[in-house]
Amino acid sequence: MTLNLNKKIINILIIFFLGIQLTIYIYNQKPLTENFSQKKITVENFSSIVLSKSGINKIGSEKLNKIDEDNIFLEGNSYLENKDYKIYGKNISINLSKEISNSDDPVEVINSMGTLKGKGFKNLDYDGKIIFKGEVNFVINK
């Protein structure tokens, strides 16, 4: 009789512990339908070289924010530089696939001819054009 009682107790304990393990397993599973949101990538005091269709460009910023695969935002004091010119400004948006950068904040562009100051710009890098917004002041190098 005690042998049957011991076997029943052991069987009940085994079933109990298997039930606990099954419960833990079920609650630790993550549903496959759950969407994971991608976090924004932000880098502070950023400087890098970017290879594009139009050549090699240097970019730098107090803070770089990656918006998506094609767009980045250079927050704060920023610069764009290539073999022809240097652009210094603030809050510059860059579309990497279209090679367009722009800003509505004051900008200073330095090239071999002189220094140009404007109230904003749109740089069509692949076409080699920079369109300035607002009043523009150009000082020729001596």
Side-chain angles (χ1 to χ4, degrees), residues 52 54 57 82 85 98-100 123-129:
S52 63
S54 62
N57 296 304
N82 67 18
Y85 57 80
K98 295 179 182 177
E99 296 191 27
I100 296 174
N123 181 14
L124 308 172
D125 199 33
Y126 191 66
D127 294 335
K129 296 178 183 176

Side-chain angles (χ1 to χ4, degrees), residues 6-139:
N6 285 341
K7 283 184 181 181
K8 285 183 181 180
I9 291 174
I10 290 174
N11 285 339
I12 290 172
L13 287 175
I14 290 173
I15 291 171
F16 177 73
F17 286 119
L18 286 175
I20 289 175
Q21 283 185 330
L22 183 64
T23 304
I24 290 171
Y25 177 77
I26 290 171
Y27 281 109
N28 280 336
Q29 295 298 313
K30 291 183 181 175
L32 296 175
T33 58
E34 184 176 327
N35 292 330
F36 296 98
S37 62
Q38 292 183 347
K39 293 184 177 182
K40 281 187 173 181
I41 297 173
T42 302
V43 180
E44 293 189 19
N45 297 322
F46 175 81
S47 180
S48 181
I49 296 174
V50 177
L51 181 62
S52 63
K53 296 173 192 169
S54 62
I56 296 174
N57 296 304
K58 295 179 190 175
I59 62 173
S61 173
E62 290 178 355
K63 190 173 187 181
L64 176 133
N65 296 307
K66 182 178 179 185
I67 308 301
D68 56 35
E69 290 299 316
D70 293 329
N71 296 293
I72 58 176
F73 180 68
L74 305 176
E75 188 176 335
N77 291 328
S78 309
Y79 69 88
L80 305 171
E81 184 178 327
N82 67 18
K83 66 179 190 287
D84 298 323
Y85 57 80
K86 298 174 184 176
I87 299 174
Y88 298 99
K90 289 185 177 183
N91 303 327
I92 300 173
S93 297
I94 302 173
N95 183 315
L96 298 171
S97 62
K98 295 179 182 177
E99 296 191 27
I100 296 174
S101 54
N102 62 25
S103 175
D104 294 328
D105 292 318
V107 64
E108 181 177 86
V109 178
I110 301 170
N111 66 14
S112 60
M113 295 172 47
T115 302
L116 185 141
K117 293 182 180 181
K119 294 187 178 181
F121 78 100
K122 182 174 186 176
N123 181 14
L124 308 172
D125 199 33
Y126 191 66
D127 294 335
K129 296 178 183 176
I130 302 175
I131 301 165
F132 295 96
K133 300 174 184 176
E135 191 175 312
V136 175
N137 182 15
F138 184 70
V139 177

